Amino acid sequence: MPTWLVPSKTLKTSGMQMVFNVPLLKSNVKSLKELSKDNSQKPPCFMVEDERPAVDFDAVKDEYLKQCDSYVFKVIRNNPKKGDEYEQKACSVDALFCIENGILVFVEFKNGRLEKQNVHSKIRDSLLIYNDLMRTSLSDTRKNSEFILVYNQEVNKTRVNEDIEILKKNSMDMACQTSSSRDYIHKHVAKLENKEFIQFGIERFQGYCFTNVHTYSESEMKTWLDQHEIHL
C-alpha cells in the first residue's frame, strides 16, 4: 500500500482527528497567507494575511498524481533545471484545514476573474483525491465539511451584481405567483438580502458534497478567520 494512504480501519477509529496524520498531508503545510498568494501579479499579492498553517492541497494533488499510473499523470518533458514536467490530469483547491468541532474546510482563493467551471472542477477533483487518501466516501465527507471560495470583489464586481439582480428578479417572480401584494414582495426581497448570498453556482455543492458552502470577499474571509480556530 502506498505510504500516503490510511488504512480504513484506522480512520474509522480515529474520526476527523486522523485527517492530518496522513504523511502526504502532513508534509505539505504552508501558512494561509502563502496559500492565498497570487503570483500572476507583479509584485505577488496575498488575499489574506493570516499566518496560521494549512495544508497546501495543490502540492498534495501533485504528489498524489505522481504516484498514480501514467494514464492519470505522465511526464511530458524533462527540464534539466527543474526536473520532470508533468501533464496535469486533475486540479485542486488551494487549502485544507480543520476548525472547531473537527469540521474540515476546503478553501479556494481566486484573485482574478472567476470561471465557474474551473472552480467546480477543482471541488470535484479535490474531493476525489481527499476521499482516496482518507479511504472514506463522499457520504462521510459531506457530514462534517465546508467549502469556501474567496474572490476578488472588485475584479468580479459586474458578475456579482448580475447574480444579485437575477436572484432578486427570481424571488419577486416567485412572490408574484403567490401574492400580488407589493409589501409582500418587498419583505421577501429584504429577507433574501439578509441571508448569506452564495455565488458563482457554488450553492449546488451544499448538501451534496459539503455541509455548508460559502463565497466570501477578501474582507469577509478575514472576518470569518477571526471568528474561528484553525488547526491541523
Side-chain angles (χ1 to χ4, degrees), residues 21-40:
N21 285 337
V22 179
L24 188 53
L25 299 179
K26 288 176 66 176
S27 62
N28 289 287
V29 175
K30 293 181 179 179
S31 70
L32 275 169
K33 177 179 179 178
E34 189 65 23
L35 293 174
S36 76
K37 183 195 292 186
D38 179 4
N39 286 310
S40 69

Side-chain angles (χ1 to χ4, degrees), residues 171-183:
S171 298
M172 286 192 286
D173 288 345
M174 290 174 62
C176 287
Q177 292 175 14
T178 58
S179 172
S180 59
S181 167
R182 185 173 298 175
D183 288 342

Side-chain angles (χ1 to χ4, degrees), residues 101-143:
N101 300 321
I103 296 172
L104 189 67
V105 182
F106 295 79
V107 180
E108 172 66 11
F109 295 100
K110 275 291 182 183
N111 193 47
R113 184 165 175 78
L114 271 157
E115 296 297 333
K116 292 182 182 180
Q117 191 56 48
N118 175 258
V119 176
H120 295 179
S121 294
K122 288 188 174 191
I123 290 172
R124 294 189 181 100
D125 287 352
S126 296
L127 285 170
L128 284 171
I129 293 170
Y130 173 80
N131 285 330
D132 189 26
L133 287 173
M134 299 307 299
R135 305 300 295 273
T136 187
S137 67
L138 182 61
S139 59
D140 294 320
T141 309
R142 77 164 66 96
K143 294 175 184 177

